[in-house]
PDB file of all heavy atoms in Angstrom:
ATOM      1  N   VAL J1107      27.585   4.537  20.672  1.00 88.00           N
ATOM      2  CA  VAL J1107      27.361   3.111  20.885  1.00 88.00           C
ATOM      3  C   VAL J1107      28.607   2.297  20.757  1.00 88.00           C
ATOM      4  O   VAL J1107      28.972   1.464  21.603  1.00 88.00           O
ATOM      5  CB  VAL J1107      26.198   2.628  19.996  1.00 88.00           C
ATOM      6  CG1 VAL J1107      26.107   1.049  20.089  1.00 88.00           C
ATOM      7  CG2 VAL J1107      24.833   3.192  20.364  1.00 88.00           C
ATOM      8  N   ILE J1108      29.358   2.592  19.614  1.00 89.00           N
ATOM      9  CA  ILE J1108      30.572   1.863  19.351  1.00 89.00           C
ATOM     10  C   ILE J1108      31.597   2.101  20.416  1.00 89.00           C
ATOM     11  O   ILE J1108      32.317   1.185  20.935  1.00 89.00           O
ATOM     12  CB  ILE J1108      31.195   2.350  17.920  1.00 89.00           C
ATOM     13  CG1 ILE J1108      30.224   1.950  16.817  1.00 89.00           C
ATOM     14  CG2 ILE J1108      32.553   1.693  17.777  1.00 89.00           C
ATOM     15  CD1 ILE J1108      29.993   0.503  16.688  1.00 89.00           C
ATOM     16  N   GLU J1109      31.643   3.352  20.909  1.00 87.00           N
ATOM     17  CA  GLU J1109      32.536   3.749  22.033  1.00 87.00           C
ATOM     18  C   GLU J1109      32.257   2.981  23.307  1.00 87.00           C
ATOM     19  O   GLU J1109      33.098   2.422  23.965  1.00 87.00           O
ATOM     20  CB  GLU J1109      32.411   5.223  22.282  1.00 87.00           C
ATOM     21  CG  GLU J1109      33.390   5.841  23.225  1.00 87.00           C
ATOM     22  CD  GLU J1109      34.649   6.419  22.539  1.00 87.00           C
ATOM     23  OE1 GLU J1109      34.700   6.557  21.386  1.00 87.00           O
ATOM     24  OE2 GLU J1109      35.630   6.669  23.356  1.00 87.00           O
ATOM     25  N   GLU J1110      30.959   2.885  23.599  1.00 87.00           N
ATOM     26  CA  GLU J1110      30.502   2.202  24.759  1.00 87.00           C
ATOM     27  C   GLU J1110      30.780   0.716  24.738  1.00 87.00           C
ATOM     28  O   GLU J1110      31.336   0.129  25.720  1.00 87.00           O
ATOM     29  CB  GLU J1110      28.972   2.436  24.936  1.00 87.00           C
ATOM     30  CG  GLU J1110      28.408   1.857  26.281  1.00 87.00           C
ATOM     31  CD  GLU J1110      28.807   2.597  27.481  1.00 87.00           C
ATOM     32  OE1 GLU J1110      29.132   3.770  27.401  1.00 87.00           O
ATOM     33  OE2 GLU J1110      28.806   1.936  28.588  1.00 87.00           O
ATOM     34  N   ILE J1111      30.621   0.073  23.580  1.00 86.00           N
ATOM     35  CA  ILE J1111      30.931  -1.337  23.384  1.00 86.00           C
ATOM     36  C   ILE J1111      32.397  -1.686  23.517  1.00 86.00           C
ATOM     37  O   ILE J1111      32.845  -2.657  24.132  1.00 86.00           O
ATOM     38  CB  ILE J1111      30.304  -1.847  22.085  1.00 86.00           C
ATOM     39  CG1 ILE J1111      28.765  -1.908  22.101  1.00 86.00           C
ATOM     40  CG2 ILE J1111      30.820  -3.319  21.744  1.00 86.00           C
ATOM     41  CD1 ILE J1111      28.078  -2.163  20.846  1.00 86.00           C
ATOM     42  N   THR J1112      33.176  -0.750  22.918  1.00 87.00           N
ATOM     43  CA  THR J1112      34.633  -0.922  22.871  1.00 87.00           C
ATOM     44  C   THR J1112      35.164  -0.908  24.395  1.00 87.00           C
ATOM     45  O   THR J1112      36.015  -1.659  24.748  1.00 87.00           O
ATOM     46  CB  THR J1112      35.345   0.107  22.070  1.00 87.00           C
ATOM     47  OG1 THR J1112      34.725   0.149  20.821  1.00 87.00           O
ATOM     48  CG2 THR J1112      36.821  -0.123  21.899  1.00 87.00           C
ATOM     49  N   LYS J1113      34.516  -0.099  25.245  1.00 85.00           N
ATOM     50  CA  LYS J1113      34.941  -0.002  26.645  1.00 85.00           C
ATOM     51  C   LYS J1113      34.635  -1.272  27.361  1.00 85.00           C
ATOM     52  O   LYS J1113      35.267  -1.632  28.273  1.00 85.00           O
ATOM     53  CB  LYS J1113      34.199   1.137  27.314  1.00 85.00           C
ATOM     54  CG  LYS J1113      34.841   2.576  26.964  1.00 85.00           C
ATOM     55  CD  LYS J1113      34.108   3.714  27.575  1.00 85.00           C
ATOM     56  CE  LYS J1113      34.579   5.015  27.154  1.00 85.00           C
ATOM     57  NZ  LYS J1113      33.709   6.145  27.731  1.00 85.00           N
ATOM     58  N   LYS J1114      33.503  -1.904  26.926  1.00 85.00           N
ATOM     59  CA  LYS J1114      33.202  -3.195  27.540  1.00 85.00           C
ATOM     60  C   LYS J1114      34.173  -4.352  27.132  1.00 85.00           C
ATOM     61  O   LYS J1114      34.554  -5.211  27.916  1.00 85.00           O
ATOM     62  CB  LYS J1114      31.705  -3.639  27.064  1.00 85.00           C
ATOM     63  CG  LYS J1114      30.626  -2.695  27.577  1.00 85.00           C
ATOM     64  CD  LYS J1114      30.373  -2.721  29.041  1.00 85.00           C
ATOM     65  CE  LYS J1114      29.347  -1.752  29.524  1.00 85.00           C
ATOM     66  NZ  LYS J1114      29.205  -1.693  30.899  1.00 85.00           N
ATOM     67  N   ILE J1115      34.580  -4.269  25.883  1.00 85.00           N
ATOM     68  CA  ILE J1115      35.607  -5.250  25.475  1.00 85.00           C
ATOM     69  C   ILE J1115      37.048  -5.058  26.072  1.00 85.00           C
ATOM     70  O   ILE J1115      37.707  -5.922  26.395  1.00 85.00           O
ATOM     71  CB  ILE J1115      35.607  -5.307  23.859  1.00 85.00           C
ATOM     72  CG1 ILE J1115      34.283  -5.690  23.290  1.00 85.00           C
ATOM     73  CG2 ILE J1115      36.755  -6.200  23.366  1.00 85.00           C
ATOM     74  CD1 ILE J1115      34.142  -5.453  21.802  1.00 85.00           C
ATOM     75  N   LEU J1116      37.362  -3.733  26.097  1.00 82.00           N
ATOM     76  CA  LEU J1116      38.688  -3.407  26.574  1.00 82.00           C
ATOM     77  C   LEU J1116      38.496  -2.399  27.714  1.00 82.00           C
ATOM     78  O   LEU J1116      38.503  -1.206  27.547  1.00 82.00           O
ATOM     79  CB  LEU J1116      39.553  -2.707  25.442  1.00 82.00           C
ATOM     80  CG  LEU J1116      41.031  -2.460  25.672  1.00 82.00           C
ATOM     81  CD1 LEU J1116      41.729  -3.844  25.794  1.00 82.00           C
ATOM     82  CD2 LEU J1116      41.606  -1.642  24.631  1.00 82.00           C
ATOM     83  N   PRO J1117      38.390  -2.957  28.950  1.00 79.00           N
ATOM     84  CA  PRO J1117      38.165  -2.031  30.073  1.00 79.00           C
ATOM     85  C   PRO J1117      39.206  -1.029  30.225  1.00 79.00           C
ATOM     86  O   PRO J1117      40.448  -1.188  29.911  1.00 79.00           O
ATOM     87  CB  PRO J1117      38.122  -3.022  31.319  1.00 79.00           C
ATOM     88  CG  PRO J1117      37.997  -4.359  30.765  1.00 79.00           C
ATOM     89  CD  PRO J1117      38.516  -4.256  29.298  1.00 79.00           C
ATOM     90  N   PRO J1118      38.929   0.253  30.627  1.00 79.00           N
ATOM     91  CA  PRO J1118      39.837   1.318  30.811  1.00 79.00           C
ATOM     92  C   PRO J1118      40.965   1.083  31.815  1.00 79.00           C
ATOM     93  O   PRO J1118      40.800   0.282  32.799  1.00 79.00           O
ATOM     94  CB  PRO J1118      39.017   2.504  31.189  1.00 79.00           C
ATOM     95  CG  PRO J1118      37.698   2.006  31.782  1.00 79.00           C
ATOM     96  CD  PRO J1118      37.498   0.634  31.084  1.00 79.00           C
ATOM     97  N   LEU J1119      42.108   1.765  31.584  1.00 78.00           N
ATOM     98  CA  LEU J1119      43.264   1.564  32.459  1.00 78.00           C
ATOM     99  C   LEU J1119      42.952   2.298  33.770  1.00 78.00           C
ATOM    100  O   LEU J1119      42.293   3.349  33.730  1.00 78.00           O
ATOM    101  CB  LEU J1119      44.569   2.086  31.829  1.00 78.00           C
ATOM    102  CG  LEU J1119      45.198   1.279  30.737  1.00 78.00           C
ATOM    103  CD1 LEU J1119      46.237   2.134  29.995  1.00 78.00           C
ATOM    104  CD2 LEU J1119      45.766  -0.027  31.229  1.00 78.00           C
ATOM    105  N   PRO J1120      43.716   2.006  34.895  1.00 78.00           N
ATOM    106  CA  PRO J1120      43.593   2.855  36.044  1.00 78.00           C
ATOM    107  C   PRO J1120      44.192   4.246  35.712  1.00 78.00           C
ATOM    108  O   PRO J1120      45.017   4.405  34.857  1.00 78.00           O
ATOM    109  CB  PRO J1120      44.509   2.121  37.014  1.00 78.00           C
ATOM    110  CG  PRO J1120      44.719   0.740  36.468  1.00 78.00           C
ATOM    111  CD  PRO J1120      44.611   0.798  35.032  1.00 78.00           C
ATOM    112  N   LYS J1121      43.699   5.219  36.497  1.00 76.00           N
ATOM    113  CA  LYS J1121      44.004   6.601  36.220  1.00 76.00           C
ATOM    114  C   LYS J1121      45.601   6.884  36.411  1.00 76.00           C
ATOM    115  O   LYS J1121      46.138   7.721  35.744  1.00 76.00           O
ATOM    116  CB  LYS J1121      43.283   7.532  37.118  1.00 76.00           C
ATOM    117  CG  LYS J1121      41.872   7.653  36.608  1.00 76.00           C
ATOM    118  CD  LYS J1121      41.004   8.631  37.503  1.00 76.00           C
ATOM    119  CE  LYS J1121      39.554   8.718  37.089  1.00 76.00           C
ATOM    120  NZ  LYS J1121      38.759   9.609  37.863  1.00 76.00           N
ATOM    121  N   ASN J1122      46.178   6.103  37.296  1.00 78.00           N
ATOM    122  CA  ASN J1122      47.627   6.375  37.641  1.00 78.00           C
ATOM    123  C   ASN J1122      48.532   5.454  36.762  1.00 78.00           C
ATOM    124  O   ASN J1122      49.747   5.360  36.968  1.00 78.00           O
ATOM    125  CB  ASN J1122      47.892   6.123  39.105  1.00 78.00           C
ATOM    126  CG  ASN J1122      47.475   4.689  39.544  1.00 78.00           C
ATOM    127  OD1 ASN J1122      46.882   3.980  38.660  1.00 78.00           O
ATOM    128  ND2 ASN J1122      47.816   4.354  40.781  1.00 78.00           N
ATOM    129  N   ALA J1123      47.980   4.858  35.649  1.00 78.00           N
ATOM    130  CA  ALA J1123      48.839   4.072  34.753  1.00 78.00           C
ATOM    131  C   ALA J1123      50.021   4.908  34.123  1.00 78.00           C
ATOM    132  O   ALA J1123      49.715   6.098  33.753  1.00 78.00           O
ATOM    133  CB  ALA J1123      47.905   3.413  33.698  1.00 78.00           C
ATOM    134  N   PRO J1124      51.106   4.304  33.824  1.00 84.00           N
ATOM    135  CA  PRO J1124      52.222   5.007  33.185  1.00 84.00           C
ATOM    136  C   PRO J1124      51.798   5.549  31.811  1.00 84.00           C
ATOM    137  O   PRO J1124      50.955   4.967  31.193  1.00 84.00           O
ATOM    138  CB  PRO J1124      53.335   3.948  33.072  1.00 84.00           C
ATOM    139  CG  PRO J1124      53.018   2.914  34.041  1.00 84.00           C
ATOM    140  CD  PRO J1124      51.450   2.953  34.162  1.00 84.00           C
ATOM    141  N   GLU J1125      52.421   6.651  31.400  1.00 81.00           N
ATOM    142  CA  GLU J1125      52.073   7.276  30.259  1.00 81.00           C
ATOM    143  C   GLU J1125      52.340   6.385  28.992  1.00 81.00           C
ATOM    144  O   GLU J1125      51.464   6.398  28.060  1.00 81.00           O
ATOM    145  CB  GLU J1125      53.058   8.531  29.969  1.00 81.00           C
ATOM    146  CG  GLU J1125      52.476   9.454  28.848  1.00 81.00           C
ATOM    147  CD  GLU J1125      53.341  10.695  28.663  1.00 81.00           C
ATOM    148  OE1 GLU J1125      53.997  11.094  29.648  1.00 81.00           O
ATOM    149  OE2 GLU J1125      53.423  11.202  27.563  1.00 81.00           O
ATOM    150  N   GLN J1126      53.233   5.580  29.028  1.00 83.00           N
ATOM    151  CA  GLN J1126      53.530   4.684  27.876  1.00 83.00           C
ATOM    152  C   GLN J1126      52.416   3.615  27.713  1.00 83.00           C
ATOM    153  O   GLN J1126      51.962   3.335  26.624  1.00 83.00           O
ATOM    154  CB  GLN J1126      54.902   3.889  28.095  1.00 83.00           C
ATOM    155  CG  GLN J1126      55.301   3.072  26.939  1.00 83.00           C
ATOM    156  CD  GLN J1126      55.499   3.801  25.584  1.00 83.00           C
ATOM    157  OE1 GLN J1126      55.863   4.935  25.584  1.00 83.00           O
ATOM    158  NE2 GLN J1126      55.094   3.242  24.508  1.00 83.00           N
TER     159      GLN J1126
END
Side-chain angles (χ1 to χ4, degrees):
V1107 168
I1108 298 297
E1109 187 93 12
E1110 186 68 26
I1111 290 170
T1112 310
K1113 283 177 184 174
K1114 297 289 179 188
I1115 295 170
L1116 191 68
L1119 286 172
K1121 287 182 181 176
N1122 57 355
E1125 190 178 338
Q1126 186 59 36

